[in-house]
Amino acid sequence: MKNIFIAVFCLAGITCFSACDDWTEIENVDINTPGMQEQNPAAYAKYLQNLIAYKSSDHKVVYAWFDNSEKTPFSRGQHISDTPDSLDVISMMYPAELAEFELADMQTVRTKGTKVVYTISFDKIQKEYTEKVKEGTETGTFDTYLKSELDKQIGYAGNFDGLIAEYKGTNPIYMSAEQKAEAKKNQDAFFSVVSTWKTGNADKLLTFQGYPENLLEQTILTSCKHIILATDNVTDDAQLSVVARLAMVGAGVPTDRFVVAVSTASLDAADKQTGFYDTDRALLEAAYWTTEHSDDYTRAGLAIYNVQNDYYNAANTYLYVKSAINIMNPAPKK
């Protein structure tokens, strides 16, 4: 009986381990959690209607730059479709060679009244040219390089609802006559391409970014929906007003469309400067600044660099972005 018991026990053990091996085999399971759109299509349609009406109303506008460099996403934070619905404009930082999921996400946010754009930066093109000349990989003139880059980058526009034209440049007050002539020539080359594009795409969005006071006899600003001031490196909210005042020095600068720029906090926990005014969140402080009144210029809204960083909050995704939007555009009280 003892031998029989041992044999039966061993057989049961082998069977058990075999069954466990079958039970623990890993399989991919698709989990589809229905959202409001699937659960209550009528309510969702009404929500979209109200959302689009809100974005068409007089409110503080919100631009956001999104780092879309990851083409094989492993987090919802890498999808623009998961950004707050109340963003007005999303600028994709890498507009070339969009992945299929990016094109799908762009369509999703468009149903919410959000425009998807990209940025063409004169300063970035100029910096890249200078670096290539130093490396010996570029031997042509800047004029030729600028035209080539503009032709290439303007070619991305077909997938987008508009573009942001960035020009920081140098204050002409400190230029010699020769330097000023060179700057004027470069500006003309840059903005003529932008203006030609806008003329052929009147229904698409054009926004200026940079220092308006550094423009020389340019009329592009009148065609721009907003003017995003270069304030992402300021250290407190008082400096936002200083930059706005300096922008007004430029001849013919429209003062009814100023947007200030800030950054979200860095994902590097050791970085206590990016996205902060001292110890305060720059995003929130700048949002409060937009709600204050100015007699001679309009504080039209906020532009947010690296918006995707704010997705990663333990309490709530996009916690500080949503808070900033609510500060500028509080929900009406019943």
Side-chain angles (χ1 to χ4, degrees), residues 75-261:
S75 163
R76 293 306 308 175
Q78 293 162 334
H79 289 260
I80 65 169
S81 55
D82 281 64
T83 59
D85 291 351
S86 44
L87 291 179
D88 294 276
V89 183
I90 298 174
S91 180
M92 305 281 269
M93 294 174 64
Y94 298 90
E97 299 178 359
L98 297 173
E100 288 298 322
F101 85 90
E102 292 178 299
L103 295 171
D105 282 355
M106 290 164 70
Q107 286 301 109
T108 297
V109 300
R110 284 181 180 125
T111 64
K112 304 171 184 178
T114 301
K115 295 185 183 297
V116 186
V117 304
Y118 67 106
T119 301
I120 297 180
S121 172
F122 171 87
D123 306 275
K124 184 177 180 181
I125 293 172
Q126 189 176 53
K127 181 181 179 182
E128 289 175 348
Y129 172 78
T130 302
E131 291 174 349
K132 288 181 178 181
V133 169
K134 289 181 179 178
E135 294 168 355
T137 57
E138 178 60 53
T139 58
T141 65
F142 178 63
D143 293 359
T144 303
Y145 185 84
L146 177 62
K147 183 181 184 306
S148 175
E149 279 298 307
L150 288 173
D151 289 345
K152 180 179 73 175
Q153 294 188 33
I154 209 76
Y156 305 147
N159 288 322
F160 294 88
D161 305 310
L163 60 86
I164 299 173
E166 182 185 33
Y167 183 91
K168 292 181 178 178
T170 304
N171 194 319
I173 294 176
Y174 306 106
M175 293 181 182
S176 65
E178 184 179 354
Q179 290 172 327
K180 191 176 292 187
E182 180 70 14
K184 176 68 165 56
K185 182 184 70 171
N186 290 335
Q187 285 183 23
D188 287 347
F190 181 71
F191 288 113
S192 65
V193 172
V194 174
S195 295
T196 299
W197 170 84
K198 178 59 178 173
T199 300
N201 297 273
D203 59 327
K204 291 197 174 185
L205 178 71
L206 175 62
T207 295
F208 175 85
Q209 177 189 357
Y211 296 113
E213 65 270 28
N214 290 348
L215 298 180
L216 295 163
E217 301 174 25
Q218 302 298 327
T219 60
I220 191 69
L221 297 180
T222 59
S223 302
C224 295
K225 181 70 173 178
H226 296 101
I227 298 172
I228 302 175
L229 303 176
T231 57
D232 47 302
N233 290 323
V234 306
T235 56
D236 61 61
D237 57 341
Q239 293 180 37
L240 299 176
S241 299
V242 174
V243 175
R245 296 286 177 190
L246 290 172
M248 296 167 62
V249 173
V253 175
T255 60
D256 60 345
R257 59 197 75 176
F258 286 170
V259 172
V260 292

Side-chain angles (χ1 to χ4, degrees), residues 44-80:
Y44 186 72
K46 182 63 177 177
Y47 166 75
L48 290 181
Q49 182 181 347
N50 292 337
L51 182 61
I52 293 172
Y54 155 75
K55 292 184 181 182
S56 300
S57 68
D58 183 18
H59 67 288
K60 301 293 184 183
V61 70
V62 184
Y63 285 72
W65 283 275
F66 190 95
D67 183 349
N68 64 310
S69 57
E70 180 55 62
K71 301 303 180 181
T72 308
F74 50 85
S75 163
R76 293 306 308 175
Q78 293 162 334
H79 289 260
I80 65 169

Side-chain angles (χ1 to χ4, degrees), residues 274-309:
T274 303
F276 287 90
Y277 294 160
D278 195 12
T279 58
D280 298 321
R281 293 264 177 176
L283 192 52
L284 303 184
E285 295 302 303
Y288 280 118
W289 180 89
T290 68
T291 66
E292 298 173 5
H293 176 71
S294 297
D295 291 329
D296 46 1
Y297 66 91
T298 301
R299 307 182 184 204
L302 193 62
I304 306 168
Y305 280 101
N306 288 307
V307 69
Q308 75 286 337
N309 287 357

